[in-house]
Amino acid sequence: MTLRIFVTGPAGVGKTTLVERVAREADRWGYLVGGMITKEVRRNGRRVGFRITALDTGEEGTLASVRRTSHLPGVPFGKYVVHVDEINRVGVSAIKRALVEADLIVIDEIGPMEYKSDEFIRVVGEVLKSEKSLLAVVHRKMADKFRPLGKLYTLSVENRNRAFAEVMDEVMKELKGVRG
């Protein structure tokens, strides 16, 4: 069975840090890692949006920004505007490349903001149908939807280091098996 690991938990617990560390380590071992990472954008200590970065090219885009500061077109989402064009340009493109080229696909995050993009929803479906190994952060409100599709880790401050070690071990065993 193809490796499918999903990571969830409250904001700020270290989900992105975990998947970034695993991605860096897999890359260090010579495996091709593709997909996208999402990070908060903060100004004066306040979260003002989210940035997405393609793991293979380093290309960046704005996933969402606070409504009053947004200069890009988008879909309203709470206090944010979600920039679907940017999700498609950076995130979806990175995931599509990873489906062809990567040993490990990383998607951070699968959540309600990203789901404003039909293309994102489609490409996540393609990944789940593929034989590629997947490590994804899943928004806690969507965790139950993904739980049956793989192994779900719910991070906390107390377990995040142990979870990293377990995830790293599972990913490396899978990748070594793929290359044989």
Side-chain angles (χ1 to χ4, degrees), residues 13-124:
V13 78
K15 300 177 295 290
T16 297
T17 300
L18 183 147
V19 297
E20 276 187 310
R21 286 176 66 195
V22 170
R24 264 197 315 272
E25 195 63 21
D27 179 67
R28 201 170 68 77
W29 282 89
Y31 296 101
L32 296 174
V33 181
M36 62 176 255
I37 294 285
T38 303
K39 292 205 174 172
E40 290 183 348
V41 176
R42 291 189 166 270
R43 244 181 244 119
N44 301 322
R46 299 177 81 118
R47 185 167 66 193
V48 296
F50 298 92
R51 179 179 81 245
I52 46 179
T53 305
L55 284 169
D56 58 345
T57 65
E59 182 180 18
E60 292 187 342
T62 303
L63 168 67
S65 50
V66 173
R67 280 188 195 204
R68 66 186 180 283
T69 63
S70 177
H71 62 280
L72 296 168
V75 178
F77 186 89
K79 72 177 188 175
Y80 297 101
V81 174
V82 176
H83 307 293
V84 174
D85 291 348
E86 294 282 284
I87 294 170
N88 296 342
R89 181 180 67 82
V90 178
V92 171
S93 296
I95 296 166
K96 284 181 177 178
R97 288 191 304 274
L99 271 165
V100 175
E101 302 165 358
D103 298 310
L104 173 66
I105 298 174
V106 172
I107 304 175
D108 172 29
E109 132 173 356
I110 300 171
M113 285 187 182
E114 294 82 0
Y115 263 47
K116 294 295 181 188
S117 163
D118 291 339
E119 284 189 47
F120 183 85
I121 295 168
R122 254 191 304 281
V123 80
V124 167

